[in-house]
Amino acid sequence: GLSLPITTSGGLPLSNTTWSSAMTYCTQNEAVDSIGRTNDWGSSIWNSNRVVASLSNLKAEGEITVFGARTDESSFRGKGALRDSIRAATVPPSEDRIFRAGEVIVSVPSLADNNQNEEELRRLGIFPGVDYRIMTLTDKDGINELFTTASLETEEERRGALLAVRPVGLKRQQRLWETRGIRQDVWPQRVRAGLLATTALSRFNRRATFSRFRSF
């Protein structure tokens, strides 16, 4: 049968029929979407009229990859969401910054080590002060799926990893960009981790607040 088209592929590879993402699944009281922890995750990607018209023979297929599992994930024991939130809020940008699937990052240009990186990010639609979620990750060759760049052995490999990123609140961001004559219709964008390593802060990091207020 025919596949229903979707509005976004989430992560990579780009597709008009499949949606992908990676998150840490946990209990509801340990879920913080901004750091990639959730108990319920999905996307409104199908046209409702087409779905209704296909209800008599509609079939949805899914595939899950388990990268790892942890136990005793409780904030009451200093772990779980509390640990991950503190880590996200305090990790500084650096040449060897670790990225995780699902986390929301903010580019802060004042921390950039060279203008060439900043210009390349802008060409990809990555602008200062805008929140972007890392949907999926792969190694530098785009072959092996990753959950975190920490799983790679060397700094060179970690900086070469590919991040599939898209704006948080895409429709709102598109309206704001249009007021500045900016247009970027292709999401997610694939970005080398090294381009973001020295400029990316967590949404929870206080140093990102000023850049977010100034973004538009």
Side-chain angles (χ1 to χ4, degrees):
L2 297 176
S3 298
L4 291 180
I6 60 177
T7 57
T8 174
S9 60
L12 292 171
L14 289 174
S15 169
N16 65 352
T17 58
T18 60
W19 186 86
S20 60
S21 71
M23 299 285 280
T24 297
Y25 286 91
C26 57
T27 59
Q28 183 174 359
N29 61 327
E30 292 292 331
V32 182
D33 283 349
S34 292
I35 54 174
R37 298 177 62 95
T38 187
N39 70 312
D40 182 13
W41 186 245
S43 177
S44 300
I45 55 176
W46 286 289
N47 179 283
S48 58
N49 292 330
R50 287 177 172 171
V51 171
V52 171
S54 305
L55 284 179
S56 61
N57 58 359
L58 185 64
K59 180 175 68 172
E61 296 180 348
E63 181 178 314
I64 297 177
T65 299
V66 178
F67 291 94
R70 301 189 296 272
T71 59
D72 197 28
E73 284 282 287
S74 171
S75 294
F76 292 108
R77 297 183 177 90
K79 300 180 180 179
L82 176 62
R83 174 202 57 205
D84 288 355
S85 296
I86 293 174
R87 178 173 56 193
T90 56
V91 169
S94 69
E95 294 287 346
D96 199 20
R97 187 197 193 281
I98 298 299
F99 292 97
R100 295 165 58 91
E103 71 170 312
V104 177
I105 58 175
V106 182
S107 177
V108 183
S110 61
L111 303 177
D113 54 355
N114 66 67
N115 292 330
Q116 184 176 354
N117 281 5
E118 186 175 333
E119 287 302 313
E120 186 169 349
L121 288 172
R122 287 178 179 272
R123 286 195 294 271
L124 293 171
I126 312 300
F127 296 96
V130 178
D131 295 11
Y132 297 88
R133 188 181 300 279
I134 301 174
M135 301 297 290
T136 57
L137 301 86
T138 68
D139 62 10
K140 62 182 178 61
D141 299 315
I143 298 174
N144 298 310
E145 295 180 340
L146 309 172
F147 186 78
T148 170
T149 55
S151 62
L152 298 171
E153 293 184 357
T154 68
E155 179 180 337
E156 181 181 1
E157 290 177 314
R158 291 188 287 272
R159 288 179 58 80
L162 300 174
L163 316 179
V165 302
R166 59 183 301 111
V168 176
L170 177 59
K171 291 182 179 179
R172 182 178 67 86
Q173 299 295 352
Q174 286 176 327
R175 288 195 297 269
L176 290 170
W177 290 337
E178 287 172 1
T179 64
R180 299 180 60 180
I182 298 169
R183 187 173 183 84
Q184 175 56 270
D185 295 324
V186 180
W187 295 105
Q189 283 289 322
R190 187 169 66 175
V191 185
R192 283 190 300 106
L195 279 177
L196 285 166
T198 58
T199 67
L201 294 172
S202 164
R203 170 190 270 181
F204 287 166
N205 194 305
R206 289 182 299 174
R207 296 169 68 184
T209 303
F210 183 65
S211 183
R212 293 176 73 196
F213 276 119
R214 292 191 60 195
S215 60
F216 296 101

